[in-house]
Amino acid sequence: MKRPIPTPNGTSRFRLIDAYLLRLLTWPIVGCLGVTVVALLLERVLRLLDVLSQSSARFGYVTSLAVNLVPHYLGLALPVAFFVALFIVITKLSDGSEIDALLASGQSLTRIAAPFVCVGLFLTIFSLIVFGYMQPYSRYAYRAVMHEAINAGWNGKLNGGSFIDQPKLLMTADGADAAGQQLTRVFIRRLDAAGREEVITAATADLRAAPDGKTVIMLLRKGQRIGVDARGEYRILVFDQFTTNVPLAGAAALLRDRGGDERELTLSELARQAKAPNPVVPRETLLAELYGRLARAAFLPFLPLLAFPLGLAAKRGNRTPGLIIAGVLLLAFQHSLQLGQSLAESGKAMPLAAIGTPWLIFTGLSLWMFIGSRKRPGQTPVTELIHSFGLGIKRFRRMFRSKFERAQA
């Protein structure tokens, strides 16, 4: 007599499924998040190098600025990376018929989506830390470093073709070595303590820091010095070698204290100042910023509910329409939140309604799409839309290819 094949207990079977699904999700989300953050940082670093090109210490500043930008770009990239990773995993499960096998074994689509929703809840907590506490401090630190970089003045080095423009000093050189301390074709215009003007030109110059650390010693060769003496007459000195000191310029005053901008306030500070009788920032602006951060974090657990219908509706080789629709929905959500914040800050709408309405619309849409896909996976409320969209893309490609072939002929 044959005995029935024993089936594993429900809890152990559920743990095995969860571990398998989470393992599939781990590397795609790490890869998408890393690539997105690095790409955004590289683009910003190039712009920072252009802005700080006149600062001889630009690389040190750029490093500090890039580090302080990480929380900002991490918050931007997290929803996109999470959704793309979900889409990759779901389409992989669908292509391998693993979704069908899980459904045939008695697992519901809700149970399959449960571990992904749990990841979304974890990312919500992580996002609250990023949006609520890391970004405010890093935003202020970024502004402080940028303020110091722009107002840092001269530190004793000069790049070829650049200018040192201080209140009492204008200096430039046509060429310089890599260290910025051996110059060619130098021009200096400065004012002395009495306010008299002095102009110096030289074929070459060597720079070295003075022992006091407050000035730079310049050894000028083959040039002229034109100055005004005490009687107001111009004096010209032609020299083979001439040594002079040029003062270093320290950094300007520090940036204002943190808190002058609502984006520099943490979640607790936003809530506390919104209850204060006379807040520094208008109360509507504080509430709009507070609700906006909470809405962006609270939307993450609903992304799996949106990814499952779109991923199941995307047949093999036809995933582009689903990704495009998902990208449009995510962009619409972000821009609707920004619009709501702007309306709340201008006083044209209540902050809770302006932020809560788009959040409810998109979370409701995600729930509606997921509930519709539970009965007939693969035949979701958006299947026909994605199918029509995919056919339109194929027709456009064929039309473009035929026109290109005719032009080549």
Side-chain angles (χ1 to χ4, degrees), residues 91-403:
T91 53
K92 180 180 179 181
L93 292 172
S94 179
D95 291 349
S97 299
E98 294 179 81
I99 292 287
D100 298 333
L102 289 172
L103 293 174
S105 67
Q107 304 298 317
S108 65
L109 196 63
T110 303
R111 181 62 189 85
I112 299 172
F116 300 134
V117 175
C118 292
V119 174
L121 292 172
F122 171 78
L123 293 180
T124 295
I125 299 174
F126 178 72
S127 296
L128 289 175
I129 297 173
V130 173
F131 293 142
Y133 297 94
M134 293 176 62
Q135 282 189 4
Y137 284 102
S138 65
R139 186 181 300 275
Y140 178 77
Y142 172 85
R143 291 177 175 176
V145 174
M146 179 62 76
H147 180 81
E148 180 182 354
I150 293 175
N151 298 281
W154 186 44
N155 67 346
K157 299 179 182 180
L158 185 65
N159 297 321
S162 61
F163 286 84
I164 300 300
D165 190 3
Q166 300 296 338
K168 295 185 178 182
L169 173 67
L170 174 65
M171 183 168 66
T172 183
D174 290 350
D177 65 348
Q181 294 182 325
Q182 293 181 355
L183 313 178
T184 57
R185 299 179 63 83
V186 180
F187 173 86
I188 302 173
R189 178 189 175 275
R190 63 184 180 181
L191 301 178
D192 60 15
R196 293 188 294 265
E197 185 181 33
E198 179 184 53
V199 176
I200 303 175
T201 60
T204 62
D206 292 339
L207 308 180
R208 67 176 185 273
D212 59 6
K214 297 180 180 179
T215 60
V216 171
I217 300 174
M218 298 188 66
L219 178 60
L220 304 163
R221 299 184 182 88
K222 298 185 182 302
Q224 294 183 351
R225 175 177 178 268
I226 305 173
V228 180
D229 60 15
R231 293 181 295 180
E233 297 179 357
Y234 283 93
R235 300 290 184 182
I236 300 177
L237 172 65
V238 180
F239 58 83
D240 287 329
Q241 286 190 358
F242 180 76
T243 302
T244 184
N245 287 3
V246 179
L248 291 172
L254 293 177
L255 189 64
R256 55 168 173 76
D257 292 336
R258 185 179 64 86
D261 187 339
E262 70 277 3
R263 293 177 296 177
E264 298 172 0
L265 298 174
T266 64
L267 288 176
S268 56
E269 290 171 344
L270 285 170
R272 185 167 57 250
Q273 288 205 20
K275 296 178 181 179
N278 297 308
V280 177
V281 181
R283 183 173 288 103
E284 292 78 10
T285 303
L286 294 171
L287 291 175
E289 181 68 20
L290 175 63
Y291 295 148
R293 295 187 198 177
L294 294 177
R296 288 181 176 88
F299 184 64
L300 291 175
F302 293 88
L303 284 179
L305 307 184
L306 181 65
F308 261 90
L310 295 176
L312 293 176
K315 302 300 181 182
R316 295 181 182 179
N318 194 25
R319 298 171 182 173
T320 303
L323 279 175
I324 292 176
I325 293 175
V328 170
L329 290 175
L330 291 178
L331 283 176
F333 175 69
Q334 293 293 334
H335 286 292
S336 63
L337 287 183
Q338 292 177 1
L339 176 62
Q341 286 186 246
S342 300
L343 292 175
E345 291 172 2
S346 62
K348 297 179 180 179
M350 297 294 293
L352 184 58
I355 303 299
T357 300
W359 186 85
L360 288 174
I361 290 174
F362 283 93
T363 54
L365 177 64
S366 301
L367 285 170
W368 173 72
M369 292 173 61
F370 182 76
I371 291 173
S373 67
R374 290 172 57 190
K375 298 178 180 178
R376 300 179 65 185
Q379 297 295 325
T380 66
V382 293
T383 301
E384 292 301 324
L385 176 62
I386 292 179
H387 181 67
S388 302
F389 192 48
L391 291 177
I393 293 177
K394 289 181 179 179
R395 283 196 295 266
F396 177 78
R397 287 177 177 174
R398 286 197 296 266
M399 181 180 64
F400 182 80
R401 187 182 301 111
S402 61
K403 289 184 177 180

Side-chain angles (χ1 to χ4, degrees), residues 10-51:
T11 54
S12 61
R13 180 174 56 188
F14 289 168
R15 285 201 298 266
L16 182 62
I17 294 173
D18 294 340
Y20 175 68
L21 295 177
L22 293 177
R23 187 168 63 250
L24 289 178
L25 182 66
T26 300
W27 288 115
I29 193 172
V30 170
C32 293
L33 190 61
V35 169
T36 307
V37 172
V38 170
L40 292 172
L41 278 176
L42 286 177
E43 187 272 337
R44 189 62 175 271
V45 165
L46 292 176
R47 285 192 285 157
L48 290 174
L49 286 173
D50 182 62
V51 171

